[in-house]
Amino acid sequence: MPERLSARRTIALVTDEFTELTCETREFGPDGPLSWQGYDASRARAAARTGEDESVVCGTARIEGTDAVLIAFEFGFLGGSLGERTGDRLEAAYLHAREHRLPVVSLIATGGSRMQEGMVALTQLQRVARQSVLTREAGLPQVAVLRDPTTGGGWATLGAGADVILALPGAQVGFAGSRVRPADADPAAYTAEAQVAAGAADAVVPEEELRATLGRWLRLLTASSAEPAPPPGPLGATDLPATGWDAVRRARSPQRPRAQYYLAAYFTDRVAISGDRCGGIDDGMLCGFGAHQGRTVAYAAQTGTATRPAGYRTAARLIRLADRLGIPVLTLVDTPGAANDAEAERLGAGAAIAEVFGAVAAARTPVTTLVIGEGGSGGALALAAPDNTWVTPDSYFSVIAPELAAAILKRPPEEVEATAGQLHLRPQDLVDLGIARTRK
């Protein structure tokens, strides 16, 4: 485990400049609100050891050229625990962020709520949650960096409640701290790497890359735009298919460009979000934010596989976040359909697809869709913008795959190709139906 940095050293690691905020905090009687014997002495020892008078340092910072409100926990001060005065500082920091329209970056290292203040300390989590919600409603991004350790209420509010969650390698992360979890619990489950693998955090970032990574995120998340994202140009075939079955074969060709190629050609810079925050990841759904022609565009892109519930939930999270921040969205449709195995059903496939339909329908920010391959039924349509969907010449969009349509209609396999034609699924058919526009 690398050296655990203090709050001030962590601030210096990620900022170009930093100005501490002043905050009025309440006065306590001897030994705090519970008159906990020895509490004043513990605070005095913590202050002498760390040079801080509370467990958080809050201020305004410039990170790679972007201004932000910065919250940094000092774990050396009573384990970075949250007490009432901590709550005062956090509330003041969030208020400053909203008044000055600044994003919030939290550098978290905490063991949770402060025992010496009892329920008074625990209720600070409600204060923090309220401030986070108000900041989210104001359309301001919140980025968390999970340091070692991030446990208890600090993880369950400032950490897990952030829009983007980054973590330092090897950091202990989990709701249960090391002294309160079951004795036989696997310690590997309580790590930054495990949280990313479970879809609860977006990425593990080495210390030496943290400043640049935060800078990229802040630049992209603070660049709103009311203009729709222009659809990418086609990277594959430019001539239109002659028949419906030709369209299906071209869309399924291994040589056809997939989402990764479209994203690389479209964006000059990209950062990815990962996971559905419900325990799942789908590598077949790529989501994040990128720079295109000098402005930020959010993207959710299928990669040609059957999309799983975690993929749909991640896409819905991306679209809702972009909508709150006023960032246009680009979706790339390419799937034979939603995963339909028993595990997908157990994980709530229908509800996950409904989340994406709802996120697109509710979005106030413009959504642009390009169908780059297979458009398989509702599992593809969920990502499609109703009035701004484009199709490439080597794509198709269908109510159902031709093979399945033939099976439902009790037709023999030799009629699959004819069925594809009857479905009117070619790009030019979709244009004639008023469903899409063609990219040539």
Side-chain angles (χ1 to χ4, degrees), residues 4 84 130 181 207 214 217 250 391 394 435 439:
R4 182 181 286 157
E84 194 167 21
R130 176 63 177 163
R181 66 182 66 136
E207 277 185 1
L214 282 173
W217 270 110
R250 286 165 62 159
V391 286
D394 49 5
I435 303 297
R439 287 308 311 257

Side-chain angles (χ1 to χ4, degrees), residues 282-300:
D282 179 4
D283 292 332
M285 180 74 79
L286 305 178
C287 295
F289 295 82
H292 175 74
Q293 297 180 348
R295 63 196 186 101
T296 301
V297 174
Y299 64 87

Side-chain angles (χ1 to χ4, degrees), residues 62-202:
R62 177 156 290 207
I63 301 174
E64 294 278 302
T66 302
D67 292 330
V69 164
L70 193 70
I71 295 167
F73 278 74
E74 176 51 70
F75 189 75
F77 192 98
L78 300 179
S81 56
L82 283 82
E84 194 167 21
R85 290 176 179 171
T86 320
D88 291 339
R89 291 192 177 186
L90 294 174
E91 185 173 67
Y94 274 107
L95 285 169
H96 187 89
R98 293 197 297 276
E99 288 171 0
H100 297 272
R101 304 295 303 165
L102 295 174
V104 176
V105 176
S106 299
L107 309 173
I108 308 171
T110 175
S113 300
R114 193 169 299 169
M115 291 182 300
Q116 296 94 330
E117 295 186 23
M119 280 300 297
V120 173
L122 190 64
T123 58
Q124 302 311 303
L125 303 181
Q126 295 170 320
R127 275 179 94 183
V128 172
R130 176 63 177 163
Q131 292 304 315
S132 178
V133 166
L134 291 174
T135 303
R136 185 177 299 118
E137 290 176 347
L140 299 169
Q142 299 172 68
V143 179
V145 177
L146 313 180
R147 297 153 58 211
D148 182 58
T150 299
T151 61
W155 165 229
T157 51
L158 284 160
D163 299 316
V164 176
I165 304 172
L166 309 175
L168 294 180
Q172 180 189 169
V173 180
F175 186 64
S178 59
R179 298 183 184 181
V180 296
R181 66 182 66 136
D184 60 350
D186 178 8
Y190 301 83
T191 63
E193 289 78 5
Q195 296 294 349
V196 171
D202 293 295

Side-chain angles (χ1 to χ4, degrees), residues 290-360:
H292 175 74
Q293 297 180 348
R295 63 196 186 101
T296 301
V297 174
Y299 64 87
Q302 293 168 316
T303 63
T305 61
T307 306
R308 305 200 65 78
Y312 289 114
R313 292 192 178 100
T314 305
R317 178 165 79 90
L318 180 281
I319 294 166
R320 288 192 293 260
L321 174 56
D323 189 45
R324 289 202 310 269
L325 301 179
I327 294 172
V329 177
L330 171 68
T331 63
L332 300 181
V333 168
D334 184 11
T335 180
N340 58 7
D341 54 86
E343 181 67 10
E345 294 296 341
R346 280 193 289 268
L347 293 173
I353 296 168
E355 277 196 55
V356 183
F357 271 118
V360 171

